[in-house]
C-alpha cells in the first residue's frame, strides 16, 4: 500500500496532475503565553486557502474562551502539492502528492516603540501538508504580513533581523517586528476521518504562543 501511494505521487509529479477540492473544515484554535498558560478573550481572524486570505474582511473572527480556545467551521479549498518523502531508512526520497492547506491568522501585538505602546495587526501564514498515510508536515510561520497602501495584507514583513539592520529601519512596523515576531506556532494537526467515504470529516488543530513582551533599551 505504501509503495502504491509513493508511485501515485511520483506519477503525479511527472505528469503535473493537480486538483483542488472544497471541504468543510472543523477548526480548534488555542492561544497561550510562552509558558503555555491559556490566553482568554483574545480576538483572532482566521482565513484559509480558497478564501481571499489577504483581504482584511475574509474568513471569520473568533474570541478565545477561558481555556484559550476557539472553535469554528469553515468551507475551504485544499489542493495537491508535491513534497519529497524519504523511502524507509534509505538516503533516497521520492515526490509524493499531499493535501495542502494554507492558514492565515490575524493577531494583535502591542509593543513599546519610541517611548510609547503601539498596537500592530499582523497576518501570520502557515502551510500544512498531509501525506496519503495521514502524517503531516509544516506547522511553522512561512510569512508575516501587514496592511499595504490599499488596505490588504500584502506588505511582507521581515522579522528577526540583527540590531544593526533594525536600527537602520524607518518603517515602525519593520522596526518592531525586527525585534519581536509576536507569536510562534505551538501545535498543529490536519486530519481526515474517512469512515464515511461519501462525507469525510476534516479537522484542524492549531496553536500559537505569544512571546514575552520585549524590553528594549
Amino acid at each position: 500500500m505504501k509503495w502504491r501511494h509513493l508511485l501515485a505521487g511520483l506519477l503525479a509529479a511527472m505528469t503535473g496532475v493537480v486538483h483542488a477540492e472544497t471541504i468543510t473544515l472543523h477548526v480548534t484554535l488555542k492561544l497561550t503565553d510562552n509558558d503555555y498558560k491559556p490566553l482568554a478573550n483574545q480576538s483572532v481572524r482566521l482565513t484559509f486557502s480558497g478564501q481571499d486570505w489577504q483581504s482584511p474582511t475574509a474568513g471569520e473572527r473568533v474570541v478565545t474562551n477561558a481555556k484559550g480556545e476557539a472553535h469554528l467551521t469553515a468551507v475551504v479549498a485544499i489542493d495537491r502539492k508535491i513534497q519529497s518523502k524519504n523511502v524507509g531508512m534509505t538516503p533516497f526520497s521520492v515526490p509524493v502528492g499531499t493535501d495542502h492547506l494554507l492558514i492565515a491568522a490575524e493577531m494583535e501585538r502591542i509593543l513599546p516603540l519610541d517611548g510609547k505602546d503601539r498596537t500592530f495587526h499582523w497576518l501570520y501564514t502557515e502551510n500544512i501538508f498531509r501525506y496519503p498515510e495521514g502524517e503531516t508536515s509544516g506547522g511553522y510561520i512561512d510569512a508575516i504580513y501587514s496592511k499595504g497602501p490599499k488596505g490588504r495584507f500584502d506588505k511582507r514583513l521581515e522579522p528577526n533581523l540583527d540590531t544593526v539592520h533594525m536600527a537602520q529601519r524607518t518603517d515602525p512596523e519593520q522596526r518592531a517586528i525586527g525585534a519581536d515576531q509576536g507569536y510562534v506556532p505551538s501545535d498543529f494537526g490536519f486530519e481526515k476521518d474517512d469512515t464515511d467515504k461519501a462525507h469525510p470529516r476534516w479537522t484542524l488543530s492549531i496553536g500559537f504562543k505569544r512571546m514575552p513582551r520585549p524590553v528594549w533599551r
Side-chain angles (χ1 to χ4, degrees), residues 38-91:
L39 296 176
N41 302 315
Q42 300 298 303
S43 175
V44 181
R45 184 175 60 87
L46 288 173
T47 62
F48 303 92
S49 46
Q51 303 172 347
D52 185 11
W53 59 271
Q54 288 183 301
S55 167
T57 59
E60 183 176 343
R61 188 170 293 278
V62 295
V63 177
T64 57
N65 59 22
K67 296 180 180 179
E69 296 180 354
H71 304 271
L72 72 148
T73 300
V75 176
V76 308
I78 56 173
D79 57 11
R80 298 288 283 179
K81 295 286 187 182
I82 303 302
Q83 296 288 100
S84 293
K85 183 176 178 63
N86 289 336
V87 180
M89 301 298 290
T90 74

Side-chain angles (χ1 to χ4, degrees), residues 112-208:
L113 192 67
D114 299 329
K116 61 180 180 180
D117 282 351
R118 295 192 56 169
T119 301
F120 300 98
H121 290 266
W122 293 332
L123 188 71
Y124 298 76
T125 63
E126 293 187 39
N127 287 279
I128 291 180
F129 305 89
R130 182 184 181 276
Y131 290 85
E133 294 83 4
E135 58 193 286
T136 56
S137 66
Y140 48 83
I141 299 296
D142 290 289
I144 305 175
Y145 298 88
S146 66
K147 286 184 179 180
K150 295 183 179 180
R152 292 175 59 82
F153 282 90
D154 54 11
K155 175 184 172 184
R156 186 161 179 164
L157 301 175
E158 301 175 60
N160 304 324
L161 290 188
D162 59 66
T163 54
V164 174
H165 286 99
M166 188 181 73
Q168 296 172 348
R169 297 180 175 194
T170 57
D171 185 320
E173 282 189 299
Q174 293 285 10
R175 288 171 56 206
I177 205 167
D180 181 84
Q181 180 173 311
Y183 296 84
V184 296
S186 58
D187 179 44
F188 80 97
F190 183 36
E191 299 180 0
K192 178 183 181 182
D193 181 354
D194 55 4
T195 304
D196 182 351
K197 300 293 183 182
H199 304 93
R201 178 181 173 85
W202 291 86
T203 58
L204 171 72
S205 57
I206 182 172
F208 292 96

